[in-house]
Amino acid sequence: MALLARVLNYVAVLAIIGVLGVAFWHQLARNELPCALCMVQRAGLIGAGLGLLLNVRFGSSESHYGVALVSALVGAVAAGRQVLARVAPGTDALGPTILGLHFDTWAVLVFGVVVLFCAVMLFIEVQFMEGVRDVRVGVIAQSLAWFFVAVALANAVSTLLLCGIEACPDRPTGYVLPWK
Amino acid sequence: MMALPFVLLVGAGLAAVLGFRTVSIWIWVAALATMLYALRHHATGVLNVAL
């Protein structure tokens, strides 16, 4: 069961990288710039991925799941707030839809899945018996970790280009390129 | 300001990759604080909801 928990953490980190990749694809290929609340959601997703990555890197711990849970809850609040703003009378929707659902709705669902995943994983108590340790991780785990850091870095650069070093507008309309 | 959570999360990820677990979690705490600040700043924007 401990091995299963580890594999599931690998898969979850990969899934989070995939979701961030889809968001990036829409940003870069379709020029749909993320709104300020969308960026908070991305940060929440990266934070959730970090918690699960800690499980992969150091072995499972309740505090790692705590990192993922709290991050997912912050992201869910941001996404829920965006959904509420969209459904309120007199406001217009942000962005396109995927399979009939807006991005913010998908974000609520994804964060819900992360919370549910962590809650279910916490029932697998055998994974905590080995304790946290600085394991010498394999090539796959280390590659996954570096890939995750690269995705987080890409988001950081993207946000810097969109917002600069100041507060972001609610709806960015273009990149704040430093060489302009 | 909005980039700060991401920069901190990159730092937390790097710390994790390099084997500094506790440092990674503390950097994540800082990132969480900036995330909450950003959320508070932007959650009140569209409908002027008091938050």
Side-chain angles (χ1 to χ4, degrees):
Chain A
M1 286 298 274
L3 178 64
L4 173 68
R6 178 166 276 245
V7 170
L8 286 175
N9 274 295
Y10 273 82
V11 173
V13 173
L14 270 175
I16 285 176
I17 290 174
V19 172
L20 288 167
V22 170
F24 240 131
W25 182 81
H26 277 273
Q27 177 183 341
L28 298 177
R30 302 178 67 174
N31 202 31
E32 287 156 5
L33 303 181
C35 60
L37 279 176
C38 309
M39 292 181 210
V40 176
Q41 292 162 49
R42 286 188 187 187
L45 202 54
I46 293 173
L50 175 71
L52 303 176
L53 185 69
L54 287 170
N55 280 335
V56 170
R57 176 64 180 79
F58 298 99
S60 294
S61 163
E62 293 92 336
S63 57
H64 300 164
Y65 285 113
V67 168
L69 276 170
V70 173
S71 299
L73 287 175
V74 172
V77 168
R81 171 68 182 84
Q82 199 174 340
V83 171
L84 291 178
R86 178 165 53 78
V87 300
T91 56
D92 54 336
L94 280 175
T97 59
I98 298 178
L99 300 176
L101 296 178
H102 282 281
F103 283 9
D104 45 16
T105 310
W106 276 113
V108 171
L109 292 173
V110 167
F111 286 121
V113 168
V114 171
V115 170
L116 187 64
F117 173 79
C118 291
V120 171
M121 291 297 285
L122 284 168
F123 279 95
I124 308 177
E125 293 182 352
V126 68
Q127 65 182 312
F128 305 122
M129 290 177 182
E130 294 176 346
V132 172
R133 67 244 182 256
D134 186 10
V135 292
R136 185 172 178 81
V137 291
V139 175
I140 297 176
Q142 198 70 351
S143 304
L144 180 67
W146 278 114
F147 188 36
F148 181 82
V149 170
V151 170
L153 181 64
N155 274 280
V157 172
S158 159
T159 308
L160 268 173
L161 290 176
L162 275 169
C163 310
I165 57 171
E166 297 177 359
C168 218
D170 283 337
R171 294 185 187 186
T173 53
Y175 291 98
V176 186
L177 301 176
W179 53 86
K180 269 191 175 179
Chain B
M1 184 60 207
M2 181 58 92
L4 193 53
F6 292 98
V7 173
L8 288 169
L9 285 168
V10 170
L14 273 177
V17 169
L18 297 176
F20 301 104
R21 173 181 171 271
T22 308
V23 173
S24 175
I25 291 178
W26 277 111
I27 297 176
W28 169 79
V29 171
L32 179 69
T34 58
M35 262 191 268
L36 289 172
Y37 178 82
L39 177 62
R40 184 191 179 281
H41 183 79
H42 290 287
T44 55
V46 183
L47 295 177
N48 294 319
V49 176
L51 189 71

